[in-house]
Amino acid sequence: MAQCDWSSDVCSSDLARRLLLRRTERGGRGEGGDERDGGEGMIAALFVQTNGAYYNLPGVDPWDVKRDARKYDGPNAVVAHPPCHLWVNLAHVNFKRYGGEHNRPGNDGGCFASALASVRVFGGVIEHPAGSNAWRAHDLTPPWNRAAWMRLHDGAWTCEVWQSAYGHKARKRTWLYYVGKNEPASMLWERKPGTHQCGWFDRIKPTLSKREASATPDAFRDALISLARGSR
């Protein structure tokens, strides 16, 4: 991810206020002065893989590393996949072993904070691994294996889903954070154990490659897009 003027310790509420101010100064227009609004149902997919699952879809504006999703300033609702490798528990092990600021847990260059700000301002959903330490760092209430949407004190919603219910080979437990004018649609709450695993946990199931493990099933992608569109 290219660097920008947002540090990793900036508060998401400050970023949200900054987004609103920038849009007000531009008369509600997006970066560069254009509306970037493809009409009803248009959404932005933030922090996604170049030419990945969110590319070449009608009504989807994908933001990859080159575009730098931290610079997104509307106007459409978002599906956000901020980088997660510095928010998982293993990040502490790697930092202790290898050191370096680029390995410091939570030092993601402000990616999660900017995703959170975008969702709170424009509506939509954030996806992160279950147990993500980003929830605690940003004062979000975790769903803790709750197979249903849970309303939070700030009016947002959170839940845990297993991507195996959407066709992923591993169970891939996932937390969602949703903000919108409408209540979030129900998800597939089935807890399928999966035929493979992400990483080396029990060495009983075959281990997926990094690319396979990180891939978003099309059915899950479509569910997230539907959530974002329904947030308006």
Side-chain angles (χ1 to χ4, degrees), residues 22-100:
R22 286 163 61 182
R23 286 188 55 74
T24 300
E25 291 174 344
R26 291 172 176 155
R29 297 178 182 273
E31 182 181 1
D34 63 315
E35 286 292 345
R36 286 187 300 162
D37 187 344
E40 184 177 358
M42 184 72 178
I43 67 105
L46 309 183
F47 303 102
V48 298
Q49 182 181 0
T50 304
N51 297 321
Y54 288 91
Y55 275 73
N56 302 314
L57 294 178
V60 176
D61 178 25
W63 285 67
D64 61 1
V65 171
K66 184 176 181 179
R67 293 186 71 183
D68 194 345
R70 295 171 297 182
K71 297 179 180 178
Y72 181 73
D73 59 359
N76 303 305
V78 307
V79 173
H81 295 272
C84 62
H85 65 285
L86 292 176
W87 292 108
V88 299
N89 290 330
L90 188 60
H92 295 273
V93 176
N94 290 335
F95 182 63
K96 184 176 181 180
R97 179 180 300 173
Y98 303 114

Side-chain angles (χ1 to χ4, degrees), residues 5-25:
D5 61 349
W6 288 350
S7 65
S8 58
D9 59 353
V10 171
C11 177
S12 61
S13 60
D14 291 338
L15 292 180
R17 285 190 289 270
R18 198 180 302 180
L19 281 174
L20 288 171
L21 177 61
R22 286 163 61 182
R23 286 188 55 74
T24 300
E25 291 174 344

Side-chain angles (χ1 to χ4, degrees), residues 103-169:
N103 287 321
R104 182 177 293 280
N107 187 23
D108 69 349
C111 291
F112 192 92
S114 67
L116 186 57
S118 292
V119 165
R120 285 173 167 169
V121 172
F122 306 115
V125 61
I126 295 175
E127 176 269 348
H128 237 221
S132 168
N133 291 310
W135 253 245
R136 180 175 59 186
H138 293 86
D139 296 321
L140 307 180
T141 302
W144 294 126
N145 203 30
R146 182 181 176 88
W149 284 107
M150 178 173 67
R151 189 73 179 266
L152 302 180
H153 65 85
D154 61 357
W157 300 76
T158 190
C159 72
E160 179 175 320
V161 295
W162 289 17
Q163 291 190 38
S164 55
Y166 292 88
H168 202 284
K169 292 180 180 180

